[in-house]
Amino acid sequence: MGSKRDRSESRERRSPNQTVSNYTDDFMEDLDLPTLPGNIPQRLADALHARIKALLYQLREARTERYVQTIEIRLVRETLQAVLTAHELGLSDSEALYAEFRHLVQDLGYESTQVGFAKIR
């Protein structure tokens, strides 16, 4: 039998992007993909951050305004792309932005799939 975790122990928190990385790191290294530069221009970081904040605001509004499904789907896709771009570029608060995005999308009735999100029927 497995031992149960003591509730006083904190559970390891991992980014969704890191959940399978231990299985795939060697494969990704073998692909020899070009790396991104370590620092991006501040104006790009600021613009991306402003775009993400605006998109997150619109997702909050989508819940109260009850947008038609095509607009809602477009907002979810655009926000996911922006948040993943922030993560890829290494913005300092990208993990928090992704967590906020996940929470808002779940509130709208979407569930996480292997690739993206799907509306729960």
Side-chain angles (χ1 to χ4, degrees):
M1 291 281 241
S3 63
K4 290 191 174 186
R5 176 176 65 90
D6 183 16
R7 293 291 176 204
S8 63
E9 296 175 22
S10 65
R11 183 177 280 182
E12 179 185 2
R13 302 278 185 207
R14 293 181 19 186
S15 160
N17 294 323
Q18 294 173 337
T19 56
V20 294
S21 65
N22 55 330
Y23 300 117
T24 58
D25 284 344
D26 293 337
F27 172 76
M28 293 304 288
E29 286 177 20
D30 289 344
L31 292 177
D32 198 29
L33 298 171
T35 59
L36 295 173
N39 53 354
I40 60 170
Q42 189 59 44
R43 69 173 208 214
L44 174 60
D46 292 343
L48 185 55
H49 195 267
R51 180 175 176 80
I52 292 170
K53 286 297 188 179
L55 285 164
L56 291 174
Y57 172 78
Q58 290 302 324
L59 283 178
R60 275 188 228 94
E61 289 296 305
R63 183 153 188 229
T64 59
E65 296 293 326
R66 303 217 183 262
Y67 292 154
V68 293
Q69 189 174 10
T70 52
I71 292 175
E72 190 177 273
I73 290 170
R74 176 70 185 264
L75 279 173
V76 169
R77 288 180 180 170
E78 290 284 331
T79 309
L80 177 60
Q81 288 174 348
V83 170
L84 291 178
T85 299
H87 176 75
E88 187 74 19
L89 293 175
L91 264 61
S92 60
D93 60 347
S94 63
E95 297 285 329
L97 293 170
Y98 185 79
E100 185 177 354
F101 164 74
R102 286 283 305 258
H103 177 72
L104 291 170
V105 168
Q106 287 172 346
D107 285 350
L108 283 172
Y110 289 82
E111 65 181 352
S112 180
T113 62
Q114 287 186 351
V115 180
F117 293 86
K119 184 81 168 190
I120 301 170
R121 303 243 177 247

